[in-house]
Amino acid sequence: MFQQDIRRILFIVISILSLMSSADANTPSSEPSWLSTWHAGTVISETDIKSVGVSRCFVKESISDKLFKRMWLKSWKRNCTMKRSQLCYLKMLHRNAKGQTQLGEMVVNRAIADKVLRIFRTLYDSGYRIERMVLIDDYGADDQASMRANNTSCFNFRFMTGSKTRVSKHGQGLAIDINTLYNPYVRKKSNGTWTIEPKEGRPYAFNRDKRKDIPYKIDRNDLAYKLFIEAGFRWGGAWRHSKDYQHFEINL
């Protein structure tokens, strides 16, 4: 009798384990590979987004060791005065030039992370076009190369021009440049010539108020402008002695 009971119990246990194994094999993973690996620039279908929920695609994370290696000696220089804990990594979606959903990324000051997530979530929900959003480290932290690629980015450590102590807004992760090729930095020099960065942005640098042929144009009617201003940022396009149409910055 005792042996029969043991056999019966073993049979029940084996049956339960078999059912559990079968269920696991037929249950799809709760986290698709694209969500866990998050390779910025990858185009994702609307079906993929719906399967996980949009909110899981707008998140902030600490700077991991793997990410820090990617930034080291690029956006993070040897003389960087920022603490790693002061920054965080954002995963965000954006609509590319064709209106497709694309994975994006950004490193920002942790103090503004939630603001930035809200802004870019609204831009995404509104169908706002951002051609590219990868870390500037993909361009060797070269601002010119990143701007030529029309890349949207934030953190890149550097001191302000002529200073060895005053850190720039980008160096603090407190400035964001958007669709940079079509919204260049423009300044008239004392000799009457112009500084335009990137230089490839010259066709989009002048008479912007009247023009309707500039793609991704940021002006006071632009949704990005409105959202950033409402969140407490300042726009470089409103500066008096130069114009930085791509640039939004904030003070802490």
Side-chain angles (χ1 to χ4, degrees):
M1 188 70 177
F2 177 75
Q3 290 180 341
Q4 288 180 342
D5 290 340
I6 292 295
R7 284 196 294 268
R8 188 178 298 112
I9 292 171
L10 287 174
F11 176 78
I12 293 172
V13 170
I14 291 171
S15 297
I16 292 173
L17 290 175
S18 178
L19 287 171
M20 291 175 62
S21 177
S22 176
D24 288 342
N26 293 316
T27 302
S29 172
S30 60
E31 185 170 279
S33 60
W34 62 264
L35 186 63
S36 57
T37 57
W38 199 271
H39 183 69
T42 302
V43 173
I44 299 296
S45 71
E46 296 300 317
T47 301
D48 287 333
I49 299 302
K50 289 179 181 178
S51 71
V52 300
V54 177
S55 60
R56 293 187 67 190
C57 302
F58 284 86
V59 297
K60 60 182 178 181
E61 299 177 354
S62 297
I63 305 297
S64 66
D65 290 341
K66 182 179 179 180
L67 177 58
F68 189 67
K69 288 179 181 178
R70 187 176 162 199
M71 299 166 62
W72 177 243
L73 299 183
K74 294 176 184 175
S75 63
W76 191 286
K77 281 76 170 177
R78 289 187 184 277
N79 60 349
C80 184
T81 60
M82 297 290 291
K83 294 180 180 179
R84 200 164 143 183
S85 60
Q86 291 177 284
L87 302 173
C88 65
Y89 178 65
L90 305 185
K91 294 178 178 178
M92 302 186 287
L93 301 177
H94 65 98
R95 307 280 184 179
N96 66 16
K98 297 179 180 180
Q100 300 167 310
T101 296
Q102 197 159 295
L103 303 185
E105 62 183 356
M106 191 176 291
V107 170
V108 304
N109 193 298
R110 184 174 292 276
I112 66 168
D114 291 332
K115 283 179 181 283
V116 176
L117 285 172
R118 285 194 294 269
I119 289 171
F120 281 93
R121 171 66 189 272
T122 302
L123 291 175
Y124 172 75
D125 289 342
S126 302
Y128 190 92
R129 303 296 175 88
I130 297 175
E131 186 167 0
R132 188 168 288 104
M133 190 193 300
V134 301
L135 299 190
I136 200 167
D137 305 275
D138 285 7
Y139 300 93
D142 184 327
D143 284 317
Q144 297 299 318
S146 179
M147 287 189 289
R148 285 195 298 271
N150 203 33
N151 186 47
T152 294
S153 66
C154 177
F155 176 74
N156 190 16
F157 184 82
R158 59 178 176 266
F159 292 106
M160 296 180 68
T161 303
S163 175
K164 294 183 179 180
T165 57
R166 296 175 62 198
V167 181
S168 74
K169 290 294 185 181
H170 281 292
Q172 299 174 64
L174 296 175
I176 297 173
D177 292 341
I178 300 177
N179 287 329
T180 50
L181 174 63
Y182 300 100
N183 298 283
Y185 169 83
V186 182
R187 180 175 64 84
K188 190 173 185 179
K189 294 186 284 189
S190 58
N191 63 4
T193 62
W194 294 88
T195 295
I196 299 173
E197 297 179 352
K199 64 180 182 180
E200 291 81 2
R202 188 177 185 88
Y204 318 105
F206 303 108
N207 302 315
R208 291 175 61 93
D209 290 343
K210 301 177 181 178
R211 293 176 59 182
K212 297 182 180 181
D213 62 329
I214 300 176
Y216 310 98
K217 185 176 76 168
I218 297 175
D219 58 18
R220 287 180 172 81
N221 296 314
D222 180 65
L223 179 59
Y225 167 84
K226 293 176 181 178
L227 293 174
F228 274 97
I229 296 304
E230 288 173 3
F233 286 76
R234 296 178 298 176
W235 180 44
W239 295 349
R240 291 185 60 188
H241 302 296
S242 62
K243 301 293 181 183
D244 199 352
Y245 296 108
Q246 63 193 253
H247 181 90
F248 294 94
E249 65 176 49
I250 192 170
N251 292 326
L252 292 183

